[in-house]
Amino acid sequence: AQSVTQLGSHVSVSEGALVLLRCNYSSSVPPYLFWYVQYPNQGLQLLLKYTTGATLVKGINGFEAEFKKSETSFHLTKPSAHMSDAAEYFCAVSDNAGNMLTFGGGTRLMVKP
Amino acid sequence: ETGVTQSPTHLIKTRGQQVTLRCSSQSGHNTVSWYQQALGQGPQFIFQYYREEENGRGNFPPRFSGLQFPNYSSELNVNALELDDSALYLCASSLDSLGNTEAFFGQGTRLTVV
């Protein structure tokens, strides 16, 4: 079974600083990888996903992630943090059918003024 | 606004009771999945329904059951509630495999079992 590990349950950055949220998955290569964001009292919103092709994926709100098979990683980055980026972020992988999602434990991003 | 609505938004139940949570999917979405998100954790897959048939199940006991209706609505039923069932329950609807489309999540139902 797939597993996803997000290093750092809490990450704090200053406004304007680089955001780096880490995600590693278990060794068998999942078909698809995802990053979701969850704002307080809301559901999950898709930021970006990797399916095939280019390993650098661009998403909404200036976020991007790079799939590195050799490192079994799919880290999420944003060059310059904004106060509105404060939220919980979840990395997820799909099963072979592309249906069931396995989520990491989440990283809470805090942005300091 | 994802077009996926869940009801109720909050619910308090007593241990041993039964509960039904509801989800209205986006029109035309033939696939609905349910997830349990305990406090401070990532969502865990409960099961998925495709065209009214169960299409996959996570590591949850049989007292978690579901239904999907022709009008794209669905239900999650939990019998014999336990304290550990307290969580945010999320439903997600999609038109196709997640490689080809996006799953849209509702805002969730927060269930508290006392």
Side-chain angles (χ1 to χ4, degrees), chain A residues 32 34 36 38 41-46 49 51 88 90 94 97-106, chain B residues 33 35 37 40-45 48 55 58 88 90 96-103 105-107:
Chain A
Y32 312 121
F34 306 80
Y36 284 88
Q38 186 177 36
N41 301 315
Q42 294 189 26
L44 301 172
Q45 180 183 10
L46 180 66
K49 69 179 180 184
T51 54
E88 187 95 21
F90 293 95
S94 72
N99 294 325
M100 182 186 87
L101 293 172
T102 299
F103 287 88
Chain B
S33 301
Y35 290 83
Q37 185 178 14
Q41 298 182 24
Q44 283 193 294
F45 176 76
Q48 182 184 84
N55 188 43
L88 180 69
L90 298 164
D96 197 349
S97 157
L98 296 180
N100 300 324
T101 188
E102 178 178 345
F105 283 81
Q107 83 284 2

Side-chain angles (χ1 to χ4, degrees), chain A residues 16-33:
Chain A
L18 171 72
V19 175
L20 170 61
L21 305 183
R22 299 178 187 273
C23 172
N24 288 87
Y25 57 89
S26 56
S27 58
S28 57
V29 179
Y32 312 121
L33 297 120

